[in-house]
Amino acid sequence: MKKYSKSGAYPFHMPGHKRNALLYDGTMPYEIDLTEIDGFDNLHNADGCILEVQSLAERLYNVRKAFLLVNGSTGGILSAVRAMTNRGDKVLVARNCHKSVYNALELCGLNPAYIVPNIDNNFGINTSITPEQAESAIKNNPDATLLIITSPTYEGVVSDIEEITKIAHLHNVRVLVDEAHGAHFPFSKAFPNEAVQSGADVAVTSLHKTLPSLTQTALLITNKEELIEPLAENLAIFETSSPSYVFMSAIEKCLEYCQNQKAFEEYIIRLNSFNEKCKELKNIKILGYGNDNIKNHSFFDFDISKLTVSVRGLGISGTQLADRLRNEFNLEPEMVCSDYVLLITTVCDTQDGFERLINALRIIDSECSVKELNIPPINPKVPRLALNPSECYGRVGAFTKLENSINKISLEYVWAYPPGIPIVAKGEVITKEVVNAVKEQTESGISVYSTKGRVPEEIYCII
């Protein structure tokens, strides 16, 4: 791309900036923003330089086929769900899936049956989907054709994909794993096994989330020969026909970097060092770090790259902790919840970054005191589905005050982002627990969004 931009070739083609030097201000890479001109291959029919990048991804992830995604894991999820189902199919869905999965259910006219993960009572996060839960769901829905699971979760919780896949395949159920937060798994034995290597039929993984690539770049990967063509056909629907060459070159650079084994070895050393220093913390708990033993949690496996910092019983909220990290220590977290703050680490984090974080946590920890918490065990409920998501499309409803919406059917999705997991999904009956969850989030200073944009005041539902 750099070589071509200096070749003197004049562009009587897109993009409209024409690589005009008058536009260069050091912020936008106009000079290398190319399109499908001669010699630069085609994403949807790759046989040249793009194919070389795909081949590199296939070698690194040890898969039969890797598709480059330039509109994030969302495009991969939509494409995979449509490629792996027929309209009207029954689909088993972990209820902590990203909202893109629910959009796929609606677009593809699928009938979902939800699997609700248990809650870890110490940190208030979702635990693993167990093989027993998967088997029960399959037996209760013998007509199901696909199982969709998020692993790892935002907080790094991993499910037993190998055992779940064995069970699913015995019943002719395919398995799709949203592995958006696990792109780094293949590059160190300190991380869990990746989904496709564990038997999953298809996985989607976001390079930009936990590896050094640009935002919006991801991979769709599979070992199933029979799925390659359907996946390609659906990517041509859901992925742009004008892919960014800047993004695709970022994928190439990322994959080349990931061959640097020493970089990942040094990263694990930094994580282990941070873990040791966390043992000094008296009050603040970090999931799987310091004095918190991951064996005390109901997880099949855990991704050590995620730092979930709990404030339960410390007299401050997750929002207040995030504000202190941001305003006093110039540290910006990934996600804020009422009970915890999530920080993402990657191979590109520096020792200085880890030192700044542990120093900030030491100071905040010294100012906190633990209060005895009497939190009753949380028993998550399977939401009552009155309508399939696809049946909600075009339905006429009305905006109703949140407190008056209990027992009505939602015609929109309501979620906090991140992580983008619906608090209530289209077609579900709104419960008192849903209303309380929305109120709790907003009162804690966390932004809650909805399809129609009026939550938390009103929700669009069937009267």
Side-chain angles (χ1 to χ4, degrees):
M1 289 161 64
K2 288 180 178 179
K3 182 179 178 181
Y4 185 85
S5 71
K6 296 176 182 178
S7 69
Y10 188 88
F12 276 111
H13 57 75
M14 298 183 291
H17 55 66
K18 298 300 184 95
R19 304 194 301 278
N20 191 316
L22 295 177
L23 296 171
Y24 299 172
D25 60 0
T27 57
M28 297 295 175
Y30 294 114
E31 70 276 15
I32 59 169
D33 183 30
L34 306 179
T35 188
E36 295 98 330
I37 54 178
D38 183 56
F40 278 83
D41 210 352
N42 186 304
L43 177 61
H44 295 290
N45 189 26
D47 62 4
C49 57
I50 296 174
L51 181 61
E52 292 177 10
V53 181
Q54 290 181 348
S55 298
L56 176 57
E58 287 157 10
R59 292 196 300 274
L60 291 178
Y61 284 84
N62 192 26
V63 294
R64 186 165 295 179
K65 187 65 178 179
F67 295 95
L68 309 188
L69 302 177
V70 294
N71 58 340
S73 286
T74 293
I77 291 289
L78 295 172
S79 302
V81 171
R82 192 169 188 266
M84 300 172 78
T85 59
N86 294 308
R87 184 166 290 274
D89 278 1
K90 173 70 70 66
V91 179
L92 306 174
V93 181
R95 188 54 181 78
N96 61 328
C97 281
H98 184 265
K99 62 191 181 78
S100 60
V101 171
Y102 298 86
N103 289 332
L105 299 176
E106 181 177 352
L107 287 170
C108 299
L110 303 173
N111 303 319
Y114 294 128
I115 304 173
V116 180
N118 291 321
I119 299 295
D120 180 270
N121 290 313
N122 292 319
F123 277 76
I125 64 173
N126 290 307
T127 63
S128 307
I129 296 292
T130 66
E132 292 76 18
Q133 285 179 301
E135 184 170 32
S136 176
I138 291 170
K139 288 182 176 179
N140 290 333
N141 298 276
D143 53 341
T145 61
L146 179 66
L147 169 62
I148 308 174
I149 291 178
T150 297
S151 179
T153 65
Y154 222 127
E155 298 84 8
V157 177
V158 174
S159 295
D160 187 352
I161 300 301
E162 182 174 0
E163 190 61 30
I164 289 171
T165 300
K166 287 179 181 177
I167 294 168
H169 286 173
L170 283 174
H171 298 272
N172 296 315
V173 175
R174 285 173 167 161
V175 177
L176 167 62
V177 177
D178 179 351
E179 200 174 26
H181 282 269
H184 56 295
F185 282 6
F187 306 113
S188 173
K189 292 182 179 179
F191 301 129
N193 292 331
E194 58 268 34
V196 170
Q197 297 308 311
S198 299
D201 296 281
V202 178
V204 182
T205 191
S206 288
L207 299 176
H208 74 93
K209 284 183 168 64
T210 60
L211 289 176
S213 191
L214 293 181
T215 298
Q216 224 169 291
T217 57
L219 295 174
L220 176 62
I221 56 179
T222 185
N223 271 334
K224 303 296 183 181
E225 185 70 35
E226 68 274 15
L227 286 174
I228 292 176
E229 185 176 332
L231 290 171
E233 290 175 354
N234 281 280
L235 281 169
I237 296 171
F238 291 106
E239 189 162 36
T240 177
S241 60
S242 300
S244 166
Y245 276 73
V246 175
F247 285 179
M248 289 189 289
S249 65
I251 292 175
E252 180 178 31
K253 191 171 183 66
C254 170
L255 296 174
E256 289 175 346
Y257 180 88
C258 287
Q259 297 176 94
N260 182 357
Q261 189 63 38
K262 185 178 179 182
F264 284 91
E265 290 172 356
E266 293 174 346
Y267 171 38
I268 299 304
I269 290 172
R270 290 193 290 274
L271 286 174
N272 289 336
S273 174
F274 180 77
N275 179 42
E276 288 300 314
K277 293 171 183 175
C278 286
K279 293 177 181 178
E280 304 170 18
L281 302 176
K282 305 298 184 184
N283 303 305
I284 290 176
K285 289 185 179 180
I286 303 177
L287 184 63
Y289 274 78
N291 298 311
D292 183 73
N293 192 330
I294 203 65
K295 294 180 179 179
N296 295 332
H297 303 275
S298 300
F299 305 157
F300 169 73
D301 207 346
F302 176 69
D303 173 18
I304 60 173
S305 77
K306 300 297 181 66
L307 305 178
T308 301
V309 185
S310 175
V311 294
R312 281 193 166 193
L314 299 186
I316 62 172
S317 67
T319 305
Q320 290 170 320
L321 173 60
D323 286 342
R324 291 202 62 182
L325 290 173
R326 186 182 297 116
N327 299 326
E328 296 178 32
F329 304 98
N330 208 18
L331 299 169
E332 185 66 39
E334 166 68 22
M335 181 177 72
V336 181
C337 292
S338 56
D339 287 338
Y340 65 89
V341 171
L342 175 66
L343 304 108
I344 289 180
T345 75
T346 79
V347 67
C348 291
D349 277 300
T350 63
Q351 186 59 36
D352 176 66
F354 281 109
E355 289 294 338
R356 288 175 57 185
L357 175 59
I358 193 62
N359 288 336
L361 293 176
R362 282 174 182 143
I363 292 171
I364 298 172
D365 183 69
S366 68
E367 299 170 1
C368 294
S369 59
V370 176
K371 300 175 182 177
E372 189 66 31
L373 279 178
N374 184 21
I375 300 177
I378 302 171
N379 297 311
K381 298 179 181 178
V382 177
R384 185 157 69 89
L385 197 62
L387 296 171
N388 289 323
S390 59
E391 295 176 314
C392 297
Y393 185 77
R395 286 266 185 152
V396 176
F399 286 103
T400 305
K401 292 291 184 182
L402 185 65
E403 57 270 22
N404 297 330
S405 67
I406 296 173
N407 292 327
K408 294 180 170 56
I409 301 171
S410 176
L411 289 177
E412 63 174 339
Y413 299 106
V414 179
W415 68 90
Y417 193 87
I421 300 168
I423 298 170
V424 66
K426 286 185 180 181
E428 291 179 0
V429 176
I430 302 166
T431 63
K432 183 178 180 180
E433 288 77 16
V434 168
V435 172
N436 290 342
V438 173
K439 288 182 176 180
E440 178 187 343
Q441 296 276 26
T442 54
E443 288 171 0
S444 297
I446 297 165
S447 297
V448 178
Y449 306 91
S450 67
T451 310
K452 301 288 186 181
R454 291 195 187 180
V455 167
E457 287 78 18
E458 297 178 318
I459 186 168
Y460 194 67
C461 55
I462 297 177
I463 300 298

Coordinates of all heavy atoms in Angstrom, one line a residue, residues 65-118:
K65 N -10.4 -22.7 7.8 CA -10.8 -21.5 7.1 C -10.9 -20.3 8.1 O -11.5 -20.4 9.1 CB -12.1 -21.6 6.3 CG -12.5 -20.4 5.4 CD -11.5 -20.3 4.3 CE -11.9 -19.1 3.4 NZ -10.9 -19.0 2.3
A66 N -10.3 -19.2 7.7 CA -10.4 -17.9 8.5 C -10.9 -16.8 7.5 O -10.2 -16.6 6.5 CB -9.1 -17.6 9.1
F67 N -12.0 -16.2 7.8 CA -12.5 -15.0 7.1 C -12.1 -13.7 7.8 O -12.3 -13.6 9.0 CB -14.0 -15.1 6.9 CG -14.5 -16.3 6.1 CD1 -14.9 -17.4 6.7 CD2 -14.5 -16.2 4.7 CE1 -15.3 -18.5 6.0 CE2 -15.0 -17.3 4.0 CZ -15.4 -18.4 4.6
L68 N -11.6 -12.7 7.1 CA -11.3 -11.4 7.6 C -12.6 -10.7 7.8 O -13.4 -10.6 6.9 CB -10.3 -10.6 6.8 CG -9.1 -11.3 6.3 CD1 -8.2 -10.3 5.6 CD2 -8.3 -12.0 7.4
L69 N -12.8 -10.1 9.0 CA -14.0 -9.2 9.2 C -13.6 -7.8 9.5 O -12.7 -7.5 10.3 CB -14.7 -9.8 10.5 CG -15.2 -11.2 10.5 CD1 -15.8 -11.6 11.8 CD2 -16.1 -11.5 9.3
V70 N -14.2 -6.9 8.7 CA -13.8 -5.5 8.9 C -15.0 -4.7 9.4 O -14.9 -3.4 9.5 CB -13.4 -4.9 7.5 CG1 -12.1 -5.5 7.1 CG2 -14.5 -5.0 6.4
N71 N -16.1 -5.4 9.8 CA -17.1 -4.7 10.5 C -17.4 -5.4 11.9 O -18.5 -5.5 12.3 CB -18.4 -4.5 9.7 CG -19.0 -5.9 9.2 OD1 -18.2 -6.9 9.2 ND2 -20.2 -5.9 8.9
G72 N -16.3 -5.8 12.5 CA -16.3 -6.3 13.8 C -16.9 -7.7 13.9 O -17.3 -8.3 12.9
S73 N -16.9 -8.3 15.1 CA -17.5 -9.6 15.4 C -19.0 -9.6 15.1 O -19.6 -10.7 14.8 CB -17.3 -10.0 16.8 OG -16.0 -10.4 17.0
T74 N -19.7 -8.4 15.1 CA -21.1 -8.4 14.8 C -21.4 -8.9 13.4 O -22.3 -9.7 13.3 CB -21.6 -6.9 14.9 OG1 -21.5 -6.5 16.3 CG2 -23.0 -6.8 14.5
G75 N -20.6 -8.5 12.4 CA -20.9 -9.0 11.1 C -20.6 -10.5 11.0 O -21.4 -11.3 10.3
G76 N -19.7 -11.0 11.8 CA -19.4 -12.5 11.8 C -20.5 -13.2 12.5 O -20.9 -14.3 12.0
I77 N -21.1 -12.7 13.6 CA -22.2 -13.3 14.3 C -23.4 -13.4 13.4 O -24.0 -14.5 13.2 CB -22.6 -12.6 15.5 CG1 -21.5 -12.7 16.6 CG2 -23.9 -13.0 16.1 CD1 -21.4 -14.0 17.2
L78 N -23.8 -12.3 12.7 CA -24.9 -12.3 11.8 C -24.8 -13.3 10.7 O -25.7 -14.1 10.4 CB -25.2 -10.9 11.3 CG -25.5 -9.8 12.3 CD1 -25.5 -8.4 11.6 CD2 -26.9 -10.1 12.9
S79 N -23.6 -13.3 10.1 CA -23.3 -14.2 9.0 C -23.4 -15.7 9.4 O -23.9 -16.5 8.7 CB -22.0 -13.9 8.4 OG -21.9 -12.6 7.9
A80 N -22.7 -16.0 10.6 CA -22.7 -17.4 11.0 C -24.0 -17.9 11.4 O -24.4 -19.1 11.1 CB -21.7 -17.5 12.2
V81 N -24.8 -17.1 12.1 CA -26.2 -17.6 12.5 C -27.0 -17.9 11.3 O -27.7 -18.9 11.2 CB -26.9 -16.5 13.4 CG1 -28.3 -16.9 13.6 CG2 -26.1 -16.4 14.7
R82 N -27.0 -17.0 10.3 CA -27.8 -17.3 9.1 C -27.3 -18.5 8.3 O -28.0 -19.2 7.7 CB -27.8 -16.0 8.2 CG -28.8 -16.1 7.1 CD -29.0 -14.7 6.4 NE -30.1 -14.7 5.5 CZ -30.0 -15.0 4.1 NH1 -28.8 -15.3 3.7 NH2 -31.0 -14.9 3.3
A83 N -25.9 -18.6 8.3 CA -25.3 -19.7 7.5 C -25.6 -21.1 8.2 O -25.7 -22.1 7.5 CB -23.8 -19.5 7.4
M84 N -25.8 -21.1 9.5 CA -26.0 -22.3 10.2 C -27.4 -22.7 10.6 O -27.7 -23.7 11.3 CB -25.2 -22.2 11.5 CG -23.7 -22.0 11.3 SD -22.7 -21.7 12.8 CE -22.6 -23.3 13.5
T85 N -28.4 -21.9 10.1 CA -29.8 -22.2 10.4 C -30.7 -22.0 9.2 O -30.3 -21.4 8.1 CB -30.3 -21.2 11.5 OG1 -30.1 -19.9 11.0 CG2 -29.5 -21.4 12.8
N86 N -31.9 -22.5 9.3 CA -33.0 -22.2 8.3 C -34.1 -21.4 9.1 O -34.2 -21.6 10.3 CB -33.6 -23.5 7.8 CG -32.5 -24.2 6.9 OD1 -31.9 -23.6 6.0 ND2 -32.4 -25.5 7.2
R87 N -34.8 -20.6 8.4 CA -35.8 -19.8 9.0 C -36.8 -20.7 9.7 O -37.2 -21.7 9.2 CB -36.5 -18.9 7.9 CG -37.6 -18.0 8.5 CD -38.0 -16.9 7.4 NE -36.9 -16.0 7.2 CZ -36.7 -14.9 7.9 NH1 -37.4 -14.6 8.9 NH2 -35.7 -14.1 7.6
G88 N -37.1 -20.3 10.9 CA -38.1 -21.1 11.7 C -37.4 -22.1 12.7 O -38.1 -22.7 13.5
D89 N -36.1 -22.3 12.5 CA -35.4 -23.2 13.4 C -35.4 -22.8 14.9 O -35.5 -21.7 15.2 CB -33.9 -23.3 13.0 CG -33.7 -24.2 11.8 OD1 -34.6 -24.8 11.3 OD2 -32.5 -24.3 11.4
K90 N -35.4 -23.9 15.7 CA -35.2 -23.7 17.2 C -33.7 -23.5 17.5 O -32.9 -24.3 17.0 CB -35.8 -24.9 17.9 CG -35.6 -24.9 19.4 CD -36.3 -23.8 20.1 CE -37.8 -24.0 20.2 NZ -38.2 -25.2 21.0
V91 N -33.4 -22.5 18.2 CA -32.0 -22.2 18.5 C -31.8 -22.1 20.0 O -32.6 -21.3 20.7 CB -31.5 -20.9 17.8 CG1 -30.0 -20.6 18.2 CG2 -31.6 -21.1 16.3
L92 N -30.8 -22.7 20.6 CA -30.5 -22.6 22.0 C -29.5 -21.5 22.2 O -28.5 -21.5 21.5 CB -29.9 -23.9 22.6 CG -30.8 -25.2 22.3 CD1 -30.1 -26.4 22.8 CD2 -32.1 -25.0 23.0
V93 N -29.8 -20.6 23.1 CA -29.0 -19.3 23.2 C -28.7 -19.1 24.7 O -29.6 -19.0 25.5 CB -29.7 -18.1 22.6 CG1 -28.9 -16.9 22.8 CG2 -30.1 -18.3 21.2
A94 N -27.4 -19.0 25.0 CA -27.0 -18.5 26.3 C -27.5 -17.1 26.5 O -27.3 -16.2 25.7 CB -25.5 -18.5 26.5
R95 N -28.2 -16.8 27.6 CA -28.9 -15.6 27.8 C -28.0 -14.4 28.0 O -28.4 -13.2 28.0 CB -29.9 -15.7 29.0 CG -30.8 -14.5 29.2 CD -31.6 -14.1 27.9 NE -32.5 -12.9 28.1 CZ -32.0 -11.7 28.1 NH1 -30.8 -11.4 28.0 NH2 -32.9 -10.7 28.3
N96 N -26.7 -14.7 28.2 CA -25.7 -13.6 28.4 C -25.0 -13.3 27.1 O -23.9 -12.7 27.1 CB -24.7 -13.9 29.5 CG -23.9 -15.2 29.2 OD1 -24.4 -16.1 28.5 ND2 -22.6 -15.2 29.6
C97 N -25.6 -13.6 25.9 CA -25.0 -13.3 24.6 C -25.1 -11.8 24.3 O -26.0 -11.1 24.8 CB -25.7 -14.1 23.5 SG -25.1 -15.9 23.4
H98 N -24.2 -11.4 23.4 CA -24.2 -10.0 23.0 C -25.5 -9.7 22.1 O -26.1 -10.6 21.5 CB -23.0 -9.8 22.1 CG -22.8 -8.4 21.7 ND1 -23.2 -7.9 20.4 CD2 -22.2 -7.3 22.3 CE1 -22.9 -6.7 20.3 NE2 -22.3 -6.2 21.4
K99 N -25.9 -8.4 22.1 CA -27.1 -8.1 21.4 C -27.1 -8.4 19.9 O -28.2 -8.6 19.3 CB -27.4 -6.6 21.6 CG -26.4 -5.6 21.1 CD -26.7 -4.2 21.6 CE -25.8 -3.2 21.0 NZ -26.1 -2.8 19.6
S100 N -25.9 -8.6 19.3 CA -25.9 -9.0 17.9 C -26.5 -10.4 17.7 O -27.1 -10.6 16.6 CB -24.4 -9.0 17.4 OG -23.6 -9.9 18.2
V101 N -26.4 -11.2 18.7 CA -27.0 -12.6 18.6 C -28.5 -12.4 18.5 O -29.2 -13.1 17.7 CB -26.6 -13.5 19.8 CG1 -27.4 -14.7 19.8 CG2 -25.1 -13.8 19.7
Y102 N -29.1 -11.5 19.3 CA -30.5 -11.3 19.4 C -31.0 -10.7 18.1 O -32.1 -11.0 17.5 CB -30.9 -10.4 20.6 CG -30.6 -11.1 21.9 CD1 -29.3 -11.0 22.4 CD2 -31.5 -11.9 22.5 CE1 -29.0 -11.6 23.6 CE2 -31.2 -12.6 23.7 CZ -29.9 -12.4 24.2 OH -29.6 -13.0 25.4
N103 N -30.2 -9.8 17.5 CA -30.5 -9.2 16.2 C -30.5 -10.3 15.1 O -31.4 -10.3 14.2 CB -29.5 -8.1 15.8 CG -29.7 -6.9 16.7 OD1 -30.8 -6.6 17.2 ND2 -28.6 -6.1 16.9
A104 N -29.6 -11.2 15.2 CA -29.6 -12.4 14.3 C -30.8 -13.2 14.4 O -31.4 -13.7 13.4 CB -28.3 -13.2 14.5
L105 N -31.3 -13.5 15.6 CA -32.5 -14.3 15.8 C -33.7 -13.6 15.2 O -34.5 -14.3 14.5 CB -32.8 -14.4 17.3 CG -31.7 -15.1 18.2 CD1 -32.2 -15.1 19.7 CD2 -31.5 -16.6 17.7
E106 N -33.7 -12.3 15.3 CA -34.9 -11.6 14.7 C -34.8 -11.6 13.2 O -35.8 -11.8 12.5 CB -34.9 -10.1 15.3 CG -36.0 -9.3 14.7 CD -36.0 -7.9 15.3 OE1 -35.2 -7.6 16.3 OE2 -36.8 -7.0 14.8
L107 N -33.6 -11.2 12.7 CA -33.4 -11.2 11.2 C -33.7 -12.5 10.5 O -34.2 -12.5 9.4 CB -32.0 -10.6 10.9 CG -31.8 -9.2 11.1 CD1 -30.3 -8.9 11.0 CD2 -32.6 -8.3 10.2
C108 N -33.3 -13.6 11.2 CA -33.3 -14.9 10.6 C -34.6 -15.7 10.9 O -34.8 -16.8 10.5 CB -32.1 -15.7 11.0 SG -30.5 -15.0 10.4
G109 N -35.5 -15.0 11.7 CA -36.8 -15.7 12.0 C -36.6 -16.9 12.8 O -37.3 -18.0 12.5
L110 N -35.8 -16.9 13.8 CA -35.5 -18.1 14.6 C -36.3 -18.1 15.9 O -36.7 -17.1 16.4 CB -34.0 -18.2 14.9 CG -33.1 -18.2 13.6 CD1 -31.6 -18.1 14.0 CD2 -33.4 -19.4 12.8
N111 N -36.4 -19.3 16.5 CA -37.2 -19.5 17.7 C -36.2 -19.8 18.8 O -35.7 -20.9 18.9 CB -38.2 -20.6 17.6 CG -39.2 -20.4 16.5 OD1 -39.6 -19.3 16.3 ND2 -39.5 -21.5 15.7
P112 N -35.9 -18.9 19.7 CA -34.9 -19.1 20.7 C -35.4 -19.8 22.0 O -36.6 -19.6 22.4 CB -34.4 -17.7 21.1 CG -35.7 -16.9 20.9 CD -36.4 -17.5 19.7
A113 N -34.6 -20.6 22.6 CA -34.8 -21.2 23.9 C -33.5 -20.8 24.7 O -32.4 -21.2 24.3 CB -35.0 -22.7 23.9
Y114 N -33.7 -20.1 25.8 CA -32.6 -19.6 26.5 C -32.0 -20.5 27.6 O -32.7 -21.2 28.3 CB -33.0 -18.2 27.2 CG -33.3 -17.2 26.2 CD1 -34.5 -16.5 26.3 CD2 -32.5 -16.8 25.1 CE1 -34.9 -15.5 25.4 CE2 -32.8 -15.8 24.2 CZ -34.0 -15.2 24.3 OH -34.3 -14.2 23.4
I115 N -30.7 -20.4 27.7 CA -30.0 -21.1 28.8 C -29.4 -20.0 29.7 O -28.6 -19.1 29.2 CB -28.8 -22.0 28.3 CG1 -29.3 -23.0 27.3 CG2 -28.1 -22.6 29.4 CD1 -28.2 -23.8 26.6
V116 N -29.8 -19.9 30.9 CA -29.4 -18.8 31.8 C -28.3 -19.3 32.7 O -28.4 -20.2 33.4 CB -30.6 -18.3 32.7 CG1 -30.2 -17.2 33.6 CG2 -31.8 -17.9 31.8
P117 N -27.1 -18.6 32.5 CA -26.0 -19.0 33.4 C -26.2 -18.6 34.8 O -27.0 -17.7 35.1 CB -24.8 -18.2 32.8 CG -25.4 -17.0 32.1 CD -26.8 -17.5 31.6
N118 N -25.6 -19.4 35.7 CA -25.7 -19.0 37.1 C -24.9 -17.7 37.4 O -24.1 -17.3 36.6 CB -25.2 -20.2 38.0 CG -26.2 -21.4 37.9 OD1 -27.4 -21.2 37.9 ND2 -25.6 -22.6 37.9

